[in-house]
Amino acid sequence: MTIKRNIEAIFIDRDGTIGGDTTIHYPGELQLFPFTKIALTKLKEQNIQLFSFTNQPGIADGKATTEDFIQELEAFGFDDIYLCPHRHGDGCRCRKPETGMLLQAAEKHHLDLTKCVVIGDRWSDIVAGIKVGATTILVQTGAGYDALHTYRHKWANMNADYIATNLEDAVSWLFSHSE
């Protein structure tokens, strides 16, 4: 089975999307969901670039290093890692829902972001993807329930392209959905 659409890259959030729960787990602590490795392998078999993009304010607090996260995420199979090391109120351009990480990847890898997919469990993942015209998939693992209910007002005038049960469901949708 192959993906029917021309996808240049897929951006996948870390905490709550590939493993963990609603909280940040530092490198070495994150437990992947049982389906994550298989889902990532299916995507890699399609020769689609997989990028992790994640807000990690613990770096600014000295709880982990950028290199710790990069090593872990590369070991999970990501082709490139984009992370925001800033705290919520720092006013940076990279912290989701801002688009800095996506724009950085687009420049580095010569991507048309309208031909990319963003998968995440938080409203901020989806809003960042919508702002650049990417296909967006909200997974209901991690903070996905809160994104749909508690924080829906933060993105009330926007909609994800698909609401998935989890990453496995998101990948299945990509394989079955054609534009």
Side-chain angles (χ1 to χ4, degrees), residues 27 58-59 62-70 83:
I59 293 169
K63 295 178 181 175
T65 67
T66 300
E67 190 57 37
D68 292 335
F69 281 102
I70 290 171
L83 57 87

Side-chain angles (χ1 to χ4, degrees), residues 32-175:
L32 294 178
F33 295 126
F35 47 77
T36 296
K37 286 184 180 179
I38 293 169
L40 294 177
T41 299
K42 285 180 181 179
L43 293 173
K44 290 197 65 83
E45 289 172 351
Q46 299 295 309
N47 295 315
I48 297 172
Q49 297 179 91
L50 297 182
F51 302 139
S52 175
F53 82 131
T54 179
N55 291 341
Q56 293 299 334
I59 293 169
D61 295 332
K63 295 178 181 175
T65 67
T66 300
E67 190 57 37
D68 292 335
F69 281 102
I70 290 171
Q71 287 178 359
E72 176 193 69
L73 291 161
E74 284 177 344
F76 293 159
F78 287 97
D79 298 305
D80 208 347
I81 288 75
Y82 295 89
L83 57 87
C84 171
H86 306 105
R87 292 180 192 92
H88 177 66
D90 286 352
C92 67
R93 291 187 171 169
C94 54
R95 185 174 178 81
K96 297 176 282 183
E98 297 303 321
T99 58
M101 290 185 277
L102 298 170
L103 295 174
Q104 181 184 4
E107 184 175 331
K108 180 179 178 182
H109 297 278
H110 310 288
L111 301 172
D112 175 349
L113 291 172
T114 66
K115 294 179 181 176
C116 293
V117 177
V118 169
I119 302 173
D121 69 318
R122 295 185 183 272
W123 69 270
S124 55
D125 301 320
I126 303 309
V127 170
I130 290 171
K131 284 180 177 180
V132 299
T135 298
T136 56
I137 302 174
L138 178 74
V139 294
Q140 295 182 71
T141 50
Y145 178 87
D146 289 340
L148 283 172
H149 302 285
T150 307
Y151 298 108
R152 188 63 177 120
H153 66 281
K154 292 190 179 268
W155 58 298
N157 61 338
M158 302 175 191
N159 290 301
D161 291 291
Y162 184 64
I163 307 295
T165 304
N166 54 38
L167 182 62
E168 180 179 44
D169 181 31
V171 170
S172 292
W173 183 78
L174 286 173
F175 276 93

Side-chain angles (χ1 to χ4, degrees), residues 14-16 18-23 25 30-33 142:
R14 181 182 179 272
D15 299 285
I18 63 169
D21 48 35
T22 60
T23 61
H25 295 268
L30 181 70
Q31 295 294 314
L32 294 178
F33 295 126

